[in-house]
């Protein structure tokens, strides 16, 4: 028998190899010859799809595995294999074996299952079952849990991204762009020249325009022009990077000392605060979670934190506008209530303090904790408990791409003891961990599935009995709940799945969090934070207690200094910009599913996403400020930045 074997090499830099590659086909009736794959000329070049002939003494029957081996030729040269296809002599059918893995080292061997998704109950042959077991045992040695900090979900056991296996690392292009883009941003802002003036304040608000050069966006420029306006301040609570904090207020909190007569001038003349509360037109943003968080010390200068409460009113003509601000959670008789009727600079500074708290909450809690770290738990558990042939592994794999590396980089470069948060953010240092621990005391699984996708693929392929009896699925959810979230006791995720609906819900949460939720918090951060006074990363003076004492000099001495401002702008551009190698939601470069039924569902999903995008664009047409962060073409399939 002669089989036609097609081998596809990866398309990224350094995917090709000059090492020896061997293949063995394994079927129900035996194995083929171990065959070196060697055509005239160069084999396994970057992006190549090469055909070879593999011989067997007899018909192998239905194919189960493809065994690939790599051996050194002169020097070690890693190889990324996308897939292997095998055509059977005399038959129209062919087998596809998805790989999407690196072969690293000399005399390395990997075995690939045929691409049809299979639950453990679908495998009946001893070879199939032993392969599943061996694959998971090997992965469990490679991917290990680490308790990063008390009260925080566990993470991958890696001191830095360099400790990660090659299969979950950035491609070379991604790695080069990640490092290069930050250097570019810092150079564009002339940080090396400006940072010489450590601790020096800007002279006035217009000075911030000096770092608005090439790094800009239409929304960032709009923010620069309109950030002082009350209506724009209110707009950002619904359309900015942190839309989860605002709530409808039916009754004022007992610690918010605002009275009806204080805000009457902000309401329409024919109503009162009490009436608008009853009508549902009053809203509250409460940053109580910030209360008592220890502030950072940067270059021997203490930074400052507030825990403001902000009351907003849905005005029939002006839209959502702030009507009162209190900067402390435990006020006394001397605690000021800031109002739009106050001296303009006092009201402006009070709004800055609210936006400063927004920066802390959205960057650390809404963005890092509620998306990055939650999805990392799923990623590690998936790698440890679901074999590549499992339906759920195939479904989730595209939504876990690059997440482990970006999280490792975040822990070592962003929130580490000497990271960017420590250098420029008021919650850097000890406050960061305390704030994170507080968030996980209140974050629940139920909250995460308040918005869901409907994954009909699972609905079609599974029944309640199959979910409950799937030992790999049960090991997976147990690992998520008992290992990943063991230090988050109030999270509320059960350690077993009993029904199809529970599985659908969990998968929906994972995919929604890694796509739409992450896009909503991450993608607009440069737009809203590039103009530093709109969303300052730190405050260098305490909150004001005397409205009449607020001057422009006090405001400039309170806002981030020159070097802090430059770094805030550079980092938010670096992390919020569109990634050059982004894979949009619903596009699957790595095709783990091969069967027609699954491909049909994927095609239907893509069409629905296209219709949704057209609807979003139509809704935004003609708007000066457009909300396009959740266009499917602008949402990545996974958390990669």
């Amino acid at each position: 028998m002669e089989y036609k074997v097609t081998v596809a090499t990866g398309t990224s830099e350094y995917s090709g190899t000059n090492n020896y590659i061997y293949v063995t086909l394994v079927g129900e009736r035996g194995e083929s010859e171990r065959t070196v794959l060697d055509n005239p000329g160069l084999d396994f070049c970057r992006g190549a799809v090469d055909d070879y002939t593999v011989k067997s003494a007899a018909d192998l029957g239905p194919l189960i595995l493809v065994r690939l081996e790599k051996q050194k030729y002169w020097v070690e040269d890693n190889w990324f294999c996308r897939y292997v296809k095998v055509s059977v002599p005399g038959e129209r059918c062919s087998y596809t074996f998805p790989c999407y893995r690196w072969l690293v080292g000399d005399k390395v061997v990997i075995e690939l299952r045929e691409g049809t998704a299979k639950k453990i109950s679908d495998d009946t042959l001893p070879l199939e079952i032993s392969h599943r077991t061996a694959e998971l045992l090997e992965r469990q040695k490679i991917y290990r849990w680490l308790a990063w900090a008390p009260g925080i979900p566990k993470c991958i056991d890696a001191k830095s991204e360099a400790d990660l296996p090659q299969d979950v690392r950035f491609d070379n292009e991604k790695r080069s762009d990640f490092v290069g883009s930050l250097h570019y941003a810092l150079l564009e802002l002339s940080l090396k020249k400006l940072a010489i003036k450590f601790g020096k304040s800007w002279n006035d608000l217009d000075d911030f325009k000096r770092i608005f050069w090439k790094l800009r966006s239409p929304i960032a420029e709009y923010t620069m022009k309109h950030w002082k306006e009350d209506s724009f301040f209110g707009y950002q609570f619904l359309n900015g990077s942190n839309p989860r904090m605002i709530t409808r207020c039916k009754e004022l909190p007992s610690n918010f000392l605002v009275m009806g007569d204080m805000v009457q001038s902000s309401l329409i003349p024919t109503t009162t605060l009490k009436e608008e509360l009853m009508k549902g037109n009053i809203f509250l943003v409460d940053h109580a979670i910030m209360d008592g968080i220890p502030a950072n010390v940067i270059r021997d200068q203490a930074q400052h934190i507030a825990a403001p409460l902000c009351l907003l009113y849905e005005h029939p003509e002006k839209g959502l506008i702030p009507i009162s601000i209190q900067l402390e959670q435990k006020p006394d008789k001397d605690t000021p209530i800031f109002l739009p009727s106050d001296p303009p600079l006092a009201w402006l500074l009070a709004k800055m303090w609210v936006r400063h708290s927004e920066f802390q909450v959205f960057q650390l809690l809404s963005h890092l904790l509620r998306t990055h770290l939650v999805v990392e738990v799923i990623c590690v558990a998936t790698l440890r408990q679901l074999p590549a042939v499992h339906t759920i592994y195939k479904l989730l794999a595209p939504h876990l791409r690059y997440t482990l590396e970006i999280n490792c980089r975040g822990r070592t470069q962003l929130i580490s003891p000497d990271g960017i948060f420590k250098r420029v953010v008021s919650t850097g240092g000890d406050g960061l961990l305390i704030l994170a621990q507080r968030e996980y005391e209140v974050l629940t699984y139920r909250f995460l599935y308040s918005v869901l996708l409907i994954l009909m693929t699972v609905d079609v392929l599974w029944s309640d009995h199959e979910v409950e009896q799937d030992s790999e699925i049960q090991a997976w959810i147990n690992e998520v709940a008992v290992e990943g979230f063991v230090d988050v006791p109030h999270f509320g995720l059960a350690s077993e799945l009993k029904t199809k609906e529970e599985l659908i819900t969990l998968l929906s949460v994972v995919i929604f969090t890694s796509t739409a939720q992450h896009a909503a918090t991450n993608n607009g951060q440069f737009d809203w934070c590039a103009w530093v006074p709109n969303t300052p990363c730190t405050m260098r003076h305490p909150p004001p207690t005397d409205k009449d004492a607020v001057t422009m000099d006090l405001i400039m001495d309170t806002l981030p200094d020159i070097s802090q401002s430059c770094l805030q702008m550079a980092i938010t551009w670096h992390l919020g910009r569109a990634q050059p190698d982004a894979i949009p939601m619903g596009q699957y470069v790595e095709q783990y599913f091969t069967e027609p039924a699954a491909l049909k569902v994927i095609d239907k999903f893509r069409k629905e996403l296209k219709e949704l995008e057209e609807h979003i664009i139509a809704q935004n047409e003609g708007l000066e400020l457009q909300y396009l962060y959740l266009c499917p073409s602008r949402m990545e399939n996974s958390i990669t930045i």
Side-chain angles (χ1 to χ4, degrees):
M1 296 282 289
E2 291 188 352
Y3 293 85
K4 177 184 176 183
V5 175
T6 302
V7 180
T9 296
T11 58
S12 65
E13 287 182 342
Y14 309 119
S15 291
T17 186
N18 61 7
N19 283 188
Y20 294 113
I21 302 296
Y22 297 85
V23 68
T24 304
L25 308 182
V26 181
E28 291 187 9
R29 301 174 190 165
E31 299 186 1
S32 71
E33 299 174 2
R34 177 177 179 268
T35 305
V36 61
L37 302 181
D38 186 17
N39 286 332
L42 295 176
D43 296 283
F44 312 112
C45 295
R46 172 185 176 184
V49 179
D50 300 313
D51 293 330
Y52 303 92
T53 298
V54 174
K55 297 180 179 180
S56 172
D59 184 357
L60 300 176
L63 295 182
I64 302 171
L65 301 172
V66 162
R67 184 180 302 126
L68 292 174
E69 303 174 59
K70 185 176 75 67
Q71 290 188 4
K72 181 174 68 175
Y73 174 75
W74 290 107
V75 295
E76 172 56 39
D77 192 15
N78 298 338
W79 178 50
F80 185 85
C81 176
R82 287 186 287 157
Y83 60 83
V84 176
K85 289 185 177 180
V86 181
S87 299
V88 182
E91 299 184 19
R92 295 183 178 180
C93 70
S94 63
Y95 297 85
T96 300
F97 299 82
C99 183
Y100 305 109
R101 291 176 58 187
W102 286 93
L103 278 73
V104 178
D106 185 28
K107 298 180 180 178
V108 61
V109 180
I110 64 172
E111 293 182 335
L112 309 176
R113 288 288 302 268
E114 191 273 326
T116 302
K118 289 187 175 182
K119 305 182 292 291
I120 190 168
S121 59
D122 297 327
D123 281 346
T124 57
L125 299 175
L127 179 59
E128 295 173 326
I129 297 172
S130 64
H131 180 268
R132 296 179 88 107
T133 302
E135 180 183 10
L136 292 180
L137 288 174
E138 180 63 23
R139 290 228 217 105
Q140 288 163 13
K141 295 176 184 177
I142 298 172
Y143 301 99
R144 303 172 304 277
W145 291 105
L146 175 68
W148 174 50
I152 305 294
K154 287 186 178 180
C155 63
I156 187 70
D157 184 4
K159 293 181 180 178
S160 74
E161 65 276 4
D163 294 332
L164 294 172
Q166 187 66 34
D167 285 337
V168 295
R169 293 291 312 274
F170 289 170
D171 284 343
N172 188 68
E173 296 94 329
K174 168 78 170 178
R175 188 178 306 115
S176 299
D177 174 78
F178 186 89
V179 175
S181 67
L182 179 57
H183 292 165
Y184 168 79
L186 296 176
L187 288 173
E188 286 295 327
L189 296 171
S190 301
L191 182 59
K192 292 181 179 179
K193 296 179 181 178
L194 292 171
I196 295 173
K197 304 174 182 179
F198 281 124
K200 179 174 173 54
S201 302
W202 301 97
N203 293 321
D204 56 50
L205 291 172
D206 282 343
D207 275 354
F208 285 97
K209 294 178 181 178
R210 291 169 55 189
I211 54 176
F212 255 64
W213 187 28
K214 289 186 179 180
L215 302 184
R216 56 176 57 193
S217 73
I219 293 180
E221 293 192 45
Y222 185 96
T223 301
M224 179 181 66
K225 296 175 183 177
H226 298 275
W227 70 283
K228 294 181 181 180
E229 300 169 7
D230 286 353
S231 59
F232 183 69
F233 177 86
Y235 173 91
Q236 293 179 80
F237 287 114
L238 295 174
N239 301 280
S241 289
N242 194 36
R244 71 177 182 86
M245 295 298 291
I246 188 168
T247 59
R248 178 172 276 114
C249 182
K250 291 291 188 179
E251 182 178 353
L252 293 177
S254 60
N255 64 330
F256 199 174
L257 303 183
V258 63
M259 306 296 291
D261 59 336
M262 295 180 179
V263 301
Q264 185 60 49
S265 61
S266 296
L267 311 178
I268 58 174
T270 57
T271 189
T272 66
L273 177 60
K274 183 177 180 180
E275 291 174 358
E276 293 304 307
L277 284 166
M278 294 177 62
K279 292 177 182 177
N281 292 330
I282 301 297
F283 298 85
L284 178 68
V285 175
D286 187 351
H287 290 104
I289 197 168
M290 297 287 294
D291 189 38
I293 296 295
N296 196 3
V297 176
I298 301 175
R299 298 194 298 273
D300 298 324
Q301 181 182 3
Q303 308 298 292
H304 297 273
I305 291 173
L309 299 99
C310 179
L311 204 65
L312 300 106
Y313 169 50
E314 180 64 24
H315 194 285
E317 298 173 359
K318 301 177 183 178
L320 186 67
I321 57 172
I323 58 175
S324 63
I325 294 172
Q326 178 180 294
L327 298 180
E328 297 179 26
Q329 291 287 321
K330 302 178 182 68
D332 55 34
K333 60 183 180 63
D334 297 323
T335 299
I337 301 292
F338 293 89
L339 305 168
S341 57
D342 287 340
L345 291 181
W347 179 238
L348 181 64
L349 183 54
K351 290 192 293 181
M352 289 181 183
W353 272 103
V354 175
R355 293 296 304 167
H356 164 260
S357 293
E358 281 287 290
F359 183 96
Q360 317 305 316
V361 170
F362 108 76
Q363 285 285 20
L364 181 61
L365 308 184
S366 301
H367 181 197
L368 178 64
L369 269 66
R370 287 178 176 247
T371 63
H372 282 256
L373 301 191
V374 167
V375 173
E376 182 170 2
V377 170
I378 303 297
C379 186
V380 176
T382 300
L383 289 166
R384 287 174 54 84
Q385 298 297 344
L386 296 179
V389 74
H390 199 288
T391 311
I392 304 307
Y393 181 93
K394 291 173 178 285
L395 180 67
L396 290 182
H399 302 291
L400 307 176
R401 174 178 178 256
Y402 289 165
T403 299
L404 293 184
E405 172 150 354
I406 195 60
N407 283 8
C408 281
R409 287 180 178 269
R411 281 187 286 272
T412 58
Q413 300 171 19
L414 191 66
I415 59 176
S416 60
D418 58 349
I420 290 170
F421 261 62
K422 178 59 181 172
R423 292 165 57 190
V424 299
V425 179
S426 59
T427 51
D430 294 339
L432 185 151
L433 179 58
I434 296 172
L435 186 57
Q437 290 167 334
R438 285 187 185 179
E439 177 73 355
Y440 277 122
E441 288 177 359
V442 298
L443 178 63
T444 64
Y445 173 61
R446 178 175 292 276
F447 178 89
L448 293 179
Y449 68 74
S450 58
V451 182
L452 295 178
L453 299 172
I454 303 300
L455 301 178
M456 297 306 295
T457 307
V458 180
D459 194 33
V460 171
L461 297 178
W462 295 68
S463 65
D464 290 349
H465 174 75
E466 289 174 316
V467 171
E468 195 168 14
Q469 295 300 314
D470 191 309
S471 59
E472 291 170 340
I473 284 289
Q474 297 304 327
W476 174 67
I477 184 59
N478 184 75
E479 185 117 345
V480 170
V482 176
E483 282 286 348
F485 290 110
V486 65
D487 291 327
V488 190
H490 304 295
F491 191 62
L493 178 63
S495 60
E496 57 182 350
L497 293 169
K498 296 182 179 180
T499 68
K500 173 182 60 180
E501 291 303 319
E502 290 177 353
L503 177 60
I504 292 174
T505 298
L506 178 56
L507 295 173
S508 300
V509 167
V510 173
I511 296 176
F512 176 81
T513 303
S514 61
T515 55
Q517 188 65 59
H518 181 257
T521 57
N522 176 81
N523 294 2
Q525 59 179 298
F526 178 73
D527 291 337
W528 310 113
C529 301
W531 181 250
V532 175
N534 182 63
T535 318
C537 62
T538 193
M539 298 293 250
R540 296 179 294 140
H541 276 265
T545 56
D546 182 354
K547 299 179 184 181
D548 295 326
V550 176
T551 63
M552 184 56 70
D553 286 342
L554 174 62
I555 289 177
M556 300 314 300
D557 286 341
T558 300
L559 287 171
D561 64 29
I562 292 175
S563 61
Q564 292 166 343
S565 300
C566 289
L567 196 51
Q568 173 177 329
M569 190 177 188
I571 291 301
T572 54
W573 176 82
H574 172 61
L575 299 178
R577 70 194 176 95
Q579 298 300 295
D581 67 339
I583 300 176
M585 186 177 185
Q587 306 304 311
Y588 303 104
V589 175
E590 298 180 347
Q591 298 178 5
Y592 291 96
F593 286 106
T594 62
E595 52 268 57
L599 298 178
K600 184 178 179 180
V601 173
I602 291 172
D603 185 59
K604 179 176 180 290
F605 182 50
R606 286 173 175 163
K607 290 178 180 177
E608 291 173 349
L609 291 177
K610 182 179 179 182
E611 293 171 359
L612 178 61
E613 175 132 355
E614 292 171 351
H615 177 68
I616 292 173
I617 292 174
Q619 279 189 318
N620 281 272
E621 188 174 357
L623 296 179
E624 188 173 11
L625 270 179
Q626 298 188 347
Y627 188 91
L628 301 175
Y629 302 122
L630 295 187
C631 283
S633 66
R634 300 190 181 201
M635 292 192 300
E636 285 203 64
N637 244 350
S638 60
I639 298 175
T640 72
I641 191 64

